[in-house]
Amino acid sequence: MKIIITGSLGNIGKPLTQKLIAKSHEVTVVSSQEDRKAAINALGAKAAVGSVSDTEFLTNIFADADALFAMTPPNLGGSNVIANTVGAGKAFANAIKQSGIKRVVLLSSIGADLPSGNGPIKGLYEIEQLYNDIQDVSFTYLRAGYFYNNFYNDIPLIKNAGITGANIPANATIPLVHTVDIATAAAEELTQTTAKNNIRYIVSDVKTPTQVAAALGTAIGKPELPWVEFSNEEYLGGMTQAGVPEEIAALYTEMGAGLANGSIANDFIKSGAPVVGQTKLEEFAKEFAATF
């Protein structure tokens, strides 16, 4: 199969490319950076350099391909985040329609069923709605859990204050996912066809923040590491003081509030809470410790 991967060689794109190449698929990786060409070619894939907000570029790349992994880069700048995300989604949608590609796997998220109250995930809600209006294309919305990788952002807090935490209560239910498990699920979906649109949740583990703190703390030799629940104001202020742009900090504060009140995880739980990823929290904790 001829398969297009957007998102360059990131934490999902690289293992996904490797998995598809190993199965003898013809893979083109889209990157916005010219200097990524060599690394892409070294994996046995073709490189296509351009912007995912450029409909003409995307249309040309998607033409004659059998399947597409559609990933909108996070943030797309420090301001107008949702608008920029949806703008890229519109470019994807137009290119999908104009190119005639018939199989698309969208990297989405838990909480993408919600039109609001989900922070940056709102952009993925809007993109799912755009794709719902496209006819004669088979879509899978791969709704991923909360990335384990997000916990790397807490390393300074752990080192400087001896705590970890967010604006999420210690007993909240958090669906978690490893990026390699997302790549595995994406490879499975890209290489099969379905008769209609479907939603697939990809989650590796479901834990509470207390369990997260215990696992990470044990792995780094701090078994008593506490999880501290911050107020929304404290969490927002902490991020902005650390240099996070205010708009992005506000979006992540809203996402934390959605995890705290259960709305973001609600549809995942209603669907039966399928946990199909292989990387459990304790395994990720070893990776965390190596970086820590």
Side-chain angles (χ1 to χ4, degrees):
M1 293 178 66
K2 294 181 179 180
I3 300 174
I4 310 298
I5 296 174
T6 57
S8 193
L9 294 182
N11 293 320
I12 299 170
K14 184 175 181 179
L16 176 54
T17 298
Q18 292 170 322
K19 291 174 185 293
L20 294 172
I21 292 291
K23 295 292 185 179
S24 300
H25 296 289
E26 184 179 326
V27 179
T28 297
V29 177
V30 176
S31 176
S32 62
Q33 301 177 14
E34 185 76 25
D35 61 8
R36 300 298 282 166
K37 271 188 172 182
I40 292 169
N41 293 337
L43 294 178
K46 297 178 181 177
V49 179
S51 170
V52 293
S53 297
D54 183 340
T55 297
E56 183 178 359
F57 165 72
L58 293 177
T59 301
N60 291 334
I61 298 302
F62 297 169
D64 299 323
D66 298 302
L68 162 68
F69 178 65
M71 177 179 172
T72 306
N75 296 343
L76 289 175
S79 61
N80 300 315
V81 173
I82 300 300
N84 291 342
T85 300
V86 176
K90 289 178 179 178
F92 270 99
N94 289 332
I96 289 166
K97 289 184 284 188
Q98 293 172 22
S99 67
I101 196 167
K102 296 300 183 185
R103 179 73 178 127
V104 177
V105 177
L106 167 69
L107 178 61
S108 190
S109 172
I110 56 169
D113 58 299
L114 303 173
S116 61
N118 49 4
I121 302 169
K122 175 179 171 58
L124 292 168
Y125 167 83
E126 299 289 351
I127 291 173
E128 285 194 13
Q129 304 314 301
L130 288 170
Y131 286 7
N132 285 340
D133 291 334
I134 300 175
Q135 303 298 314
D136 301 321
V137 178
S138 172
F139 287 100
T140 290
Y141 303 147
L142 199 60
R143 290 186 179 169
Y146 186 83
F147 283 23
Y148 285 132
N149 284 8
N150 289 329
F151 294 119
Y152 289 125
N153 297 328
D154 296 339
I155 289 177
L157 182 63
I158 296 171
K159 288 186 173 181
N160 296 328
I163 63 172
T164 187
N167 60 334
I168 304 172
N171 62 350
T173 299
I174 311 295
L176 304 166
V177 71
H178 198 291
T179 52
V180 171
D181 289 336
I182 296 174
T184 298
E188 292 171 355
E189 292 292 337
L190 286 164
T191 53
Q192 67 180 5
T193 58
T194 57
K196 59 182 180 180
N197 294 0
N198 73 298
I199 294 168
R200 176 176 175 178
Y201 282 99
I202 176 64
V203 169
S204 306
D205 212 344
V206 178
K207 296 292 184 181
T208 66
T210 293
Q211 291 170 316
V212 170
L216 299 184
T218 298
I220 62 175
K222 299 179 183 292
E224 302 302 320
L225 180 70
W227 177 274
V228 176
E229 179 186 357
F230 301 114
S231 69
N232 291 338
E233 292 76 15
E234 291 170 334
Y235 193 54
L236 177 63
M239 281 191 285
T240 54
Q241 288 175 18
V244 178
E246 186 170 353
E247 180 180 331
I248 293 176
L251 287 171
Y252 277 88
T253 299
E254 182 179 85
M255 182 175 71
L259 288 166
N261 65 32
S263 60
I264 286 178
N266 185 53
D267 190 70
F268 163 73
I269 293 170
K270 285 171 57 179
S271 72
V275 176
V276 298
Q278 298 301 304
T279 311
K280 303 309 173 188
L281 173 62
E282 292 72 20
E283 296 173 64
F284 166 73
K286 297 174 184 177
E287 299 175 21
F288 182 88
T291 298
F292 186 86

